[in-house]
Amino acid sequence: MFATKITGTGKFHPEKVMTNDDLSKMVDTSDEWIMQRTGIKERRIANPETEYPSGMAFYAAQDAIKNAGLEPNDISLIIFSVTLPDYLFPNTASQLQTKLGISNECACMDINAACTGWVYGLQMADALIKTGVHKHVLVVGTEMTSAFNNWEDRSSCVLFGDGAGATVLSQNEDNDGAQFIDSILSCDGTKSGSLILKKGGSKSPITHEVLDNKEQFVSMEGQIVFKNAVKTMSRHCATLLKRNNLTTEDIDWFVPHQANLRIIETTAKLLEYPMDKVICNVEKYANTSSASIPAAVHEAFTDGRIKRGQTVLFAAFGAGLTSGAVLLKF
Ligand code: UT7
């Protein structure tokens, strides 16, 4: 068995900033309400002509591969987490493969576990690296939430932002102790209606009526998602700690999904984990779905907060309702 190491990280956020004040000109909301209920100040919005998911992912992945000291052709599998892809098919990973100039015919797949997608991808990549099937796997989380946002629905449009995060996972050949320790994934499909894009799939194709009623956009029951997020993420983190004989004091950094500062604070409180060791950037970028954790990890690793040898815990939740947590030595 091989140990899995995060060898490279990268991120991309579009240049275009949309502030809470900008949003208050579009819907009946205010900077005060959004800050108080979510901790979000602003979000980035992709240019649909160049910054669709594979376009944003390209910049993040290019950096992650370079930071891992690799060439694009060293990658033998791309796992691309995306909720609303470039196309329904072919998959977005194949579009990224071409953009990166990968000519080795590496395997490409998309996964859709919504905001938990990157964490789902990590567990899969770890299993394939551990067992020697792959040596270097690119796991990307990239989301163009502005494409499924209903800009007339104040209860959801204030929450989301666009962005990309990318991570290269490799067989650890450095003998430095970096390794995946444990992970846990879950889904409660009985609550899948609480966060859903109802129309546009095979079951309910787009019709003129759908467009007239603006049903091609996200719909959400915020409080159900909120309660489930806090409960499930804290439970998964506690399980990982318990079954590895660790306490919160052994965790150097907690990087939760960046959906809402209140969700992050409540989860940390339930875990009795100090907020000054929680990585947060939701104020600047809002909820970028499956891009949120890898982008936050890249920021914290680049600015020196997360260091090699430290023990780090990730936790995510999203539509499905999916959830997951990963514990690793960085
Ligand atoms: O990755 C998963 C993505 N989803 C989430 O993370 C969502 C999780 N849920 C949440 O973050 C919170 O439930 C929200 C931020 C969405 C809402 O916060 P809340 O504290 O649960 O508010 P609420 O839904 O209970 O609404 C309170 C009031 C309502 O008015 P009334 O009925 O009390 O008069 C809403 O109509 O706030 C109103 N409201 C707003 N007011 C100003 C809802 N959205 C807005 C808004 N601006 N943007």
Side-chain angles (χ1 to χ4, degrees), residues 23 26-28 149-158 211-214 217:
L23 269 168
M26 297 158 66
V27 287
D28 181 14
N149 240 353
N150 180 351
W151 295 106
E152 293 175 8
D153 176 8
R154 68 176 184 172
S155 69
S156 61
C157 75
V158 302
L211 295 178
D212 288 345
N213 295 332
K214 296 199 181 299
F217 299 124

Side-chain angles (χ1 to χ4, degrees), residues 43-110:
R43 70 284 297 138
R44 301 298 177 94
I45 304 296
N47 174 344
E49 280 172 27
T50 53
E51 294 172 343
Y52 40 85
S54 70
M56 289 190 280
F58 168 69
Y59 297 112
Q62 209 181 26
D63 272 359
I65 294 168
K66 195 170 143 222
N67 293 336
L70 300 174
E71 296 296 326
N73 272 321
D74 293 323
I75 302 295
S76 58
L77 168 65
I78 301 175
I79 299 177
F80 198 122
S81 160
V82 61
T83 309
L84 195 59
D86 285 17
Y87 309 108
L88 292 181
F89 63 87
N91 66 32
T92 325
S94 66
Q95 306 304 294
L96 178 60
Q97 182 204 49
T98 308
K99 285 190 166 64
L100 288 168
I102 295 178
S103 56
N104 62 9
E105 297 188 340
C106 74
C108 286
M109 66 168 152
D110 284 11

Side-chain angles (χ1 to χ4, degrees), residues 215-257:
E215 289 171 316
Q216 75 276 32
F217 299 124
V218 65
S219 68
M220 185 182 72
E221 293 173 75
Q223 289 190 0
I224 294 179
V225 180
F226 190 112
K227 282 178 198 150
N228 187 80
V230 165
K231 209 173 62 185
T232 319
M233 283 199 295
S234 57
R235 178 164 51 90
H236 287 340
C237 291
T239 302
L240 288 187
L241 292 178
K242 190 166 175 213
R243 74 185 183 197
N244 290 282
N245 295 318
L246 298 174
T247 71
T248 47
E249 284 178 18
D250 297 308
I251 306 300
D252 295 297
W253 293 105
F254 177 39
V255 195
H257 172 43

Side-chain angles (χ1 to χ4, degrees), residues 3 5 135-136 170-176:
K5 174 177 180 177
K135 194 167 173 187
H136 302 293
S170 307
Q171 277 176 13
N172 187 352
E173 293 173 330
D174 302 332
N175 251 338
D176 57 2

